[in-house]
Short mmCIF file of all heavy atoms in Angstrom, two decimals:
data_model
loop_
_atom_site.label_atom_id
_atom_site.label_comp_id
_atom_site.label_asym_id
_atom_site.label_seq_id
_atom_site.Cartn_x
_atom_site.Cartn_y
_atom_site.Cartn_z
N ALA Y 188 17.22 76.68 124.41
CA ALA Y 188 17.36 77.35 125.71
C ALA Y 188 18.66 76.91 126.38
O ALA Y 188 19.12 75.78 126.21
CB ALA Y 188 16.18 77.03 126.60
N VAL Y 190 20.87 76.96 130.16
CA VAL Y 190 20.99 77.19 131.60
C VAL Y 190 22.46 77.29 131.93
O VAL Y 190 23.25 76.38 131.65
CB VAL Y 190 20.35 76.04 132.41
CG1 VAL Y 190 20.52 76.30 133.91
CG2 VAL Y 190 18.88 75.90 132.06
N ARG Y 221 19.79 81.48 131.40
CA ARG Y 221 19.26 81.50 132.76
C ARG Y 221 20.32 80.95 133.71
O ARG Y 221 20.87 79.88 133.48
CB ARG Y 221 17.99 80.65 132.84
CG ARG Y 221 16.80 81.21 132.07
CD ARG Y 221 16.09 82.30 132.85
NE ARG Y 221 15.58 81.79 134.10
CZ ARG Y 221 14.39 81.18 134.24
NH1 ARG Y 221 13.60 80.99 133.18
NH2 ARG Y 221 13.99 80.75 135.42
N VAL Y 232 19.60 74.06 139.42
CA VAL Y 232 19.60 73.73 137.99
C VAL Y 232 18.35 72.96 137.57
O VAL Y 232 17.69 73.35 136.58
CB VAL Y 232 20.88 72.97 137.61
CG1 VAL Y 232 20.82 72.53 136.14
CG2 VAL Y 232 22.10 73.84 137.84
N PRO Y 233 17.95 71.87 138.25
CA PRO Y 233 16.74 71.14 137.81
C PRO Y 233 15.49 72.02 137.80
O PRO Y 233 14.62 71.87 136.93
CB PRO Y 233 16.62 70.01 138.83
CG PRO Y 233 17.99 69.83 139.38
CD PRO Y 233 18.59 71.21 139.41
N GLU Y 234 15.41 72.94 138.76
CA GLU Y 234 14.26 73.83 138.84
C GLU Y 234 14.18 74.72 137.60
O GLU Y 234 13.10 74.91 137.02
CB GLU Y 234 14.38 74.68 140.10
CG GLU Y 234 13.31 75.74 140.27
CD GLU Y 234 13.58 76.65 141.46
OE1 GLU Y 234 14.45 76.32 142.28
OE2 GLU Y 234 12.91 77.70 141.55
N VAL Y 235 15.30 75.28 137.19
CA VAL Y 235 15.30 76.18 136.02
C VAL Y 235 15.04 75.39 134.74
O VAL Y 235 14.32 75.86 133.84
CB VAL Y 235 16.62 76.95 135.94
CG1 VAL Y 235 16.70 77.77 134.66
CG2 VAL Y 235 16.76 77.86 137.16
N VAL Y 236 15.60 74.20 134.64
CA VAL Y 236 15.32 73.36 133.46
C VAL Y 236 13.82 73.08 133.36
O VAL Y 236 13.23 73.20 132.28
CB VAL Y 236 16.11 72.03 133.53
CG1 VAL Y 236 15.65 71.07 132.42
CG2 VAL Y 236 17.60 72.29 133.41
N ALA Y 237 13.20 72.73 134.49
CA ALA Y 237 11.76 72.46 134.50
C ALA Y 237 10.95 73.71 134.14
O ALA Y 237 9.94 73.62 133.41
CB ALA Y 237 11.34 71.93 135.87
N GLN Y 238 11.38 74.87 134.62
CA GLN Y 238 10.68 76.11 134.28
C GLN Y 238 10.73 76.39 132.78
O GLN Y 238 9.73 76.78 132.18
CB GLN Y 238 11.30 77.28 135.05
CG GLN Y 238 11.00 77.28 136.53
CD GLN Y 238 11.74 78.39 137.27
OE1 GLN Y 238 12.56 79.10 136.69
NE2 GLN Y 238 11.46 78.54 138.55
N LEU Y 239 11.89 76.20 132.19
CA LEU Y 239 12.03 76.43 130.75
C LEU Y 239 11.17 75.45 129.95
O LEU Y 239 10.57 75.83 128.94
CB LEU Y 239 13.50 76.32 130.34
CG LEU Y 239 14.40 77.45 130.83
CD1 LEU Y 239 15.88 77.10 130.62
CD2 LEU Y 239 14.06 78.75 130.09
N ARG Y 240 11.12 74.20 130.40
CA ARG Y 240 10.24 73.23 129.75
C ARG Y 240 8.78 73.68 129.83
O ARG Y 240 8.04 73.62 128.84
CB ARG Y 240 10.38 71.86 130.42
CG ARG Y 240 11.75 71.22 130.32
CD ARG Y 240 11.99 70.59 128.99
NE ARG Y 240 13.13 69.68 129.03
CZ ARG Y 240 13.78 69.29 127.95
NH1 ARG Y 240 13.42 69.73 126.75
NH2 ARG Y 240 14.80 68.45 128.06
N ALA Y 241 8.37 74.13 131.03
CA ALA Y 241 6.99 74.57 131.23
C ALA Y 241 6.65 75.79 130.38
O ALA Y 241 5.49 76.00 130.01
CB ALA Y 241 6.75 74.86 132.71
N GLN Y 242 7.67 76.58 130.08
CA GLN Y 242 7.46 77.77 129.26
C GLN Y 242 7.50 77.47 127.75
O GLN Y 242 7.40 78.38 126.94
CB GLN Y 242 8.51 78.82 129.61
CG GLN Y 242 8.37 79.38 131.02
CD GLN Y 242 9.57 80.18 131.48
OE1 GLN Y 242 10.51 80.41 130.72
NE2 GLN Y 242 9.57 80.59 132.74
N GLY Y 243 7.65 76.20 127.40
CA GLY Y 243 7.58 75.81 126.00
C GLY Y 243 8.88 75.50 125.31
O GLY Y 243 8.89 75.21 124.11
N ALA Y 244 10.00 75.53 126.05
CA ALA Y 244 11.28 75.21 125.42
C ALA Y 244 11.34 73.72 125.08
O ALA Y 244 11.16 72.88 125.96
CB ALA Y 244 12.44 75.59 126.35
N GLN Y 245 11.57 73.42 123.81
CA GLN Y 245 11.65 72.03 123.38
C GLN Y 245 13.01 71.41 123.71
O GLN Y 245 13.10 70.23 124.02
CB GLN Y 245 11.38 71.94 121.87
CG GLN Y 245 10.00 72.40 121.46
CD GLN Y 245 8.91 71.54 122.06
OE1 GLN Y 245 8.97 70.31 122.02
NE2 GLN Y 245 7.91 72.18 122.65
N ARG Y 246 14.04 72.22 123.59
CA ARG Y 246 15.40 71.73 123.82
C ARG Y 246 16.09 72.67 124.82
O ARG Y 246 16.16 73.88 124.60
CB ARG Y 246 16.19 71.68 122.51
CG ARG Y 246 15.74 70.56 121.59
CD ARG Y 246 16.21 70.78 120.14
NE ARG Y 246 17.63 71.07 120.02
CZ ARG Y 246 18.59 70.15 119.86
NH1 ARG Y 246 18.27 68.85 119.83
NH2 ARG Y 246 19.85 70.50 119.71
N VAL Y 247 16.60 72.08 125.90
CA VAL Y 247 17.25 72.85 126.96
C VAL Y 247 18.65 72.27 127.16
O VAL Y 247 18.80 71.07 127.41
CB VAL Y 247 16.47 72.80 128.28
CG1 VAL Y 247 17.19 73.62 129.35
CG2 VAL Y 247 15.04 73.30 128.07
N ALA Y 266 19.56 66.60 135.69
CA ALA Y 266 18.69 67.77 135.80
C ALA Y 266 17.58 67.79 134.76
O ALA Y 266 16.77 68.72 134.76
CB ALA Y 266 19.52 69.04 135.70
N GLY Y 267 17.54 66.81 133.87
CA GLY Y 267 16.46 66.74 132.90
C GLY Y 267 16.65 67.55 131.63
O GLY Y 267 15.69 67.79 130.90
N ALA Y 268 17.88 67.96 131.35
CA ALA Y 268 18.14 68.76 130.15
C ALA Y 268 18.29 67.87 128.92
O ALA Y 268 18.52 66.66 129.03
CB ALA Y 268 19.40 69.60 130.35
N THR Y 269 18.17 68.48 127.76
CA THR Y 269 18.40 67.77 126.50
C THR Y 269 19.86 67.36 126.38
O THR Y 269 20.17 66.27 125.89
CB THR Y 269 18.02 68.67 125.31
OG1 THR Y 269 16.69 69.17 125.50
CG2 THR Y 269 18.13 67.92 123.99
#
Side-chain angles (χ1 to χ4, degrees):
V190 178
R221 292 279 300 274
V232 175
E234 175 186 348
V235 174
V236 171
Q238 289 175 354
L239 290 168
R240 296 282 196 199
Q242 293 167 5
Q245 298 297 313
R246 288 162 51 90
V247 180
T269 307

